[in-house]
Amino acid sequence: MHQRQIPSAPEHRSDPAADGGALSMSHNDSCSLFNFSHLVLSAGQIKPSPALKHSKITYFEVEILDLQSKKQICILDKVPPASTLLDVKHKFHKACPQWYPSRVGLQLERNGPFLKDSINIQSLAVSSIITLYFTDLGQQVGWTTFFLTEYTGPLLIYLLFYIRLSTIYDQVESRKNFRHPVVHLACFCHCLHYIRHLLETLFVHKFSEGHTPLKNMIKGCVFYWGFTSWIAYYINHPRYTPPSFGHRQVSYAALAFLMCEAGNHFINVALAHQTNSEGNKTCFPSPTYNPFTWLFLLVSCPNYTYEAGSWISFTVMTQTLPVGIFAFLMVIQMSLWAKKKHQLYLKRFYPEVRRKAAMIPIIF
């Protein structure tokens, strides 16, 4: 008969009492271990305490340097990771009150683009210290103020020439000469155009919270106000001669002008409401039952097409050189705007826009 040997470590053989105690407790320990393991498995994985998970909060340090001299302007301490660039601009304004947020331009690199206010500061961080370059954008104005000022001037200036002020025209000559009906129609169409722009600025267009330099508004006002003065002076002059083809030319051109104005308005309304049920802009505006929106089938910027059509029609209706020059410059400018916007549409809405022209139908 061979007796079964219980293996044991050599160092335990010198203490028989210890071996006996360990052997006597082995069954109870095994049961306790089995019960404890079963309890842990039935309870699920042990989760760490949430208080320990976010016990450490990280702040960023934003260093702002001058773009030209590379000198340090200030350091913003304890900037939370959830802060946006607009929050950083407000902190910078508190440190340097002479620069309010709208005139502060911040760049990540010296030759890089200006960063948008909505960018999260954490997305720019490579370490706990973020370096940004500062540029003074100059005095700023809001977009609503920009357009209201730009469009109010032509409306009032044209009316001043229409009533034939004594400081502009000779009163004796003004009384002798009869005003052709096209002069009154031109005043109505011109005022209608700018009143539409003003009302759409207030109630239709959705401008961002951004700003534009004051010098841009001054340039726009000089252009619009100056051309309006030149146009109104000739159309309302006592010696103004009516169009060559008379009533027929005026009537057809006025009808085309009114149609373009209506189309421009309906396109602007469609662009302002190009949202889905959740309120997100997800697709390019599609034509509706309104015939004026069918131009979306041919071009990506029909608002510029209608705007150009308005001024071309106004040129034919009045048959004056200043209006023709203004219409020519407007068509060139709007073509550049349409081309730039068309490129943006191609990036966002490629399948819907790829077969459309930018502003003039058929020309791709």
Side-chain angles (χ1 to χ4, degrees), residues 106-223:
L106 296 177
Q107 300 164 267
L108 193 60
E109 300 175 354
R110 294 192 68 191
N111 297 325
F114 289 110
L115 300 173
K116 295 182 178 179
D117 291 346
S118 58
I119 291 181
N120 189 285
I121 196 67
Q122 192 171 12
S123 63
L124 305 175
V126 179
S127 63
S128 60
I129 301 177
I130 303 173
T131 301
L132 299 176
Y133 294 95
F134 161 76
T135 300
D136 184 7
L137 300 178
Q139 204 165 5
Q140 304 285 303
V141 293
W143 285 110
T144 303
T145 305
F146 176 89
F147 288 112
L148 289 178
T149 305
E150 194 174 69
Y151 296 143
T152 303
L155 178 63
L156 300 178
I157 290 172
Y158 196 97
L159 292 175
L160 292 177
F161 283 89
Y162 176 73
I163 62 178
R164 291 182 176 179
L165 294 176
S166 58
T167 56
I168 302 175
Y169 303 111
D170 181 71
Q171 291 299 307
V172 176
E173 191 175 12
S174 298
R175 293 191 189 98
K176 288 181 180 180
N177 294 323
F178 171 75
R179 290 198 190 193
H180 193 274
V182 70
V183 175
H184 305 292
L185 182 60
C187 180
F188 170 78
C189 292
H190 190 275
C191 293
L192 176 67
H193 178 78
Y194 284 102
I195 288 174
R196 178 184 63 80
H197 272 305
L198 291 172
L199 293 177
E200 287 177 352
T201 300
L202 294 173
F203 304 110
V204 177
H205 294 304
K206 299 177 181 178
F207 300 108
S208 63
E209 296 182 356
H211 297 75
T212 186
L214 179 62
K215 61 181 181 181
N216 289 347
M217 188 179 75
I218 295 175
K219 291 179 182 178
C221 290
V222 169
F223 177 78

Side-chain angles (χ1 to χ4, degrees), residues 46-60:
I46 299 177
K47 297 182 180 179
S49 173
L52 297 175
K53 188 175 180 180
H54 302 289
S55 60
K56 188 176 181 180
I57 300 177
T58 304
Y59 291 97
F60 292 106

Side-chain angles (χ1 to χ4, degrees), residues 21 58 146 236 268 285 294 311-312 351:
T58 304
F146 176 89
N236 296 286
N268 288 333
W294 294 351
W311 285 112
I312 293 174

Side-chain angles (χ1 to χ4, degrees), residues 189-309:
C189 292
H190 190 275
C191 293
L192 176 67
H193 178 78
Y194 284 102
I195 288 174
R196 178 184 63 80
H197 272 305
L198 291 172
L199 293 177
E200 287 177 352
T201 300
L202 294 173
F203 304 110
V204 177
H205 294 304
K206 299 177 181 178
F207 300 108
S208 63
E209 296 182 356
H211 297 75
T212 186
L214 179 62
K215 61 181 181 181
N216 289 347
M217 188 179 75
I218 295 175
K219 291 179 182 178
C221 290
V222 169
F223 177 78
Y224 279 99
W225 295 15
F227 261 104
T228 299
S229 301
W230 192 23
I231 291 170
Y233 176 80
Y234 274 86
I235 296 177
N236 296 286
H237 198 280
R239 297 182 183 179
Y240 169 76
T241 55
S244 303
F245 296 96
H247 180 72
R248 181 177 296 181
Q249 177 179 343
V250 173
S251 299
Y252 288 149
L255 180 61
F257 177 87
L258 295 175
M259 290 181 64
C260 289
E261 287 295 303
N264 203 339
H265 171 70
F266 288 119
I267 292 297
N268 288 333
V269 172
L271 291 173
H273 295 87
Q274 57 175 352
T275 56
N276 59 4
S277 57
E278 281 116 17
N280 300 319
K281 295 182 180 180
T282 57
C283 60
F284 185 77
S286 57
T288 63
Y289 62 88
N290 189 339
F292 290 104
T293 63
W294 294 351
L295 201 55
F296 274 122
L297 296 171
L298 300 176
V299 297
S300 60
C301 303
N303 53 327
Y304 294 141
T305 307
Y306 282 123
E307 184 79 10

